[in-house]
Amino acid sequence: YFRNLVSGIPGWHYQDFHIIKSVFNNDYDIHGGAEELIYPHHEFIFRISHQLQKINHVNEKKPKWIHIGILKIKSKKMSNSIGNTITISDFLKKYSPNSLKILFLLEPYNKDFNFNRRKLKDAVILDNEISSYFLSQSFKNANLPQSVNGSDSQEFSEFLRILNNNYDTKSAISHIIKCIRGLESASYVKKMTDLLGLHYH
């Protein structure tokens, strides 16, 4: 619709706003994207949505804005236009999905991430350690237990406390490794890895 009215960068701003207005009726809880979108894109959407609420005399809705860092290679933004991209499909030909997830979980979500081989190597090592732990537990117990006991539930609150500190996934991974090396129960460790989207069978 808006593509027929405006073009270029202004058209992009209006198109996104129109989606918010027509699909979500300007009522949503979380809006996010890369930090480079804060200004002018998200600033535009925020201000025009706020003005629309005033015009319609509705209570101001304050969605939570979440902005993430930019993925970079050799200090340059990964971009198709530059031609420095690594596709997920190509990555998964050599490494596991969990290694990719851990690679990003080891970085603060709101900071730029400079990809390099050392960071990838660290992620693969951690992935292998977690995978080996579950493999050893499955041999011991035939199948991993599906429930956690009382003491595990109490310890799990520490894991949640770590995540609640601005989604500190790096410390959360460190906590998982500490539990593995301390030979905590597999059910407890599995509950934590599942919550981070790490799936081991």
Side-chain angles (χ1 to χ4, degrees):
Y1 173 75
F2 274 106
R3 189 173 297 173
N4 297 325
L5 298 179
V6 288
S7 61
I9 296 300
W12 173 49
H13 297 325
Y14 277 105
Q15 286 170 30
D16 275 18
F17 168 70
H18 186 67
I19 291 172
I20 293 171
K21 181 174 177 291
S22 60
V23 177
F24 300 104
N25 194 29
N26 205 40
D27 183 13
Y28 56 95
D29 298 311
I30 299 175
H31 194 132
E35 61 181 10
E36 62 183 345
L37 297 179
I38 295 175
Y39 181 85
H41 189 58
H42 285 166
E43 188 75 17
F44 170 86
I45 291 173
F46 171 76
R47 293 191 181 279
I48 197 171
S49 297
H50 179 70
Q51 192 63 33
L52 187 64
Q53 289 170 336
K54 281 185 175 181
I55 293 172
N56 293 332
H57 304 289
V58 297
N59 292 329
E60 182 182 354
K61 177 85 172 183
K62 293 185 177 180
K64 186 172 182 63
W65 292 79
I66 298 176
H67 292 98
I68 61 174
I70 299 170
L71 177 59
K72 296 181 176 181
I73 295 181
K74 295 181 180 179
S75 300
K76 290 185 178 181
K77 174 186 173 184
M78 184 184 287
S79 170
N80 283 327
S81 59
I82 299 176
N84 64 343
T85 58
I86 301 173
T87 66
I88 292 177
S89 59
D90 284 343
F91 184 94
L92 296 180
K93 290 176 183 177
K94 297 181 179 180
Y95 307 99
S96 76
N98 286 329
S99 288
L100 178 60
K101 293 174 184 177
I102 292 173
L103 176 66
F104 289 114
L105 290 171
L106 290 174
E107 297 288 324
Y109 75 90
N110 55 354
K111 304 293 183 183
D112 289 353
F113 173 44
N114 280 292
F115 173 84
N116 61 55
R117 295 294 172 183
R118 179 189 58 78
K119 292 179 179 179
L120 175 57
K121 182 180 178 181
D122 291 343
V124 171
I125 290 173
L126 291 173
D127 180 23
N128 289 339
E129 182 170 358
I130 298 172
S131 181
S132 296
Y133 167 79
F134 281 121
L135 185 61
S136 66
Q137 292 298 308
S138 65
F139 277 124
K140 288 180 182 178
N141 305 312
N143 292 299
L144 293 178
Q146 298 300 314
S147 60
V148 296
N149 58 38
S151 61
D152 286 341
S153 296
Q154 290 178 356
E155 292 182 32
F156 188 65
S157 63
E158 171 64 13
F159 179 74
L160 295 179
R161 184 195 66 76
I162 293 171
L163 284 181
N164 284 332
N165 181 23
N166 198 24
Y167 199 53
D168 185 3
T169 51
K170 181 177 181 178
S171 296
I173 292 290
S174 295
H175 184 74
I176 290 174
I177 296 300
K178 183 184 75 171
C179 292
I180 286 175
R181 293 173 182 175
L183 300 179
E184 300 286 351
S185 70
S187 57
Y188 171 45
V189 175
K190 185 176 186 301
K191 187 175 181 181
M192 292 187 290
T193 54
D194 283 350
L195 190 59
L196 291 181
L198 303 172
H199 302 297
Y200 297 90
H201 304 288

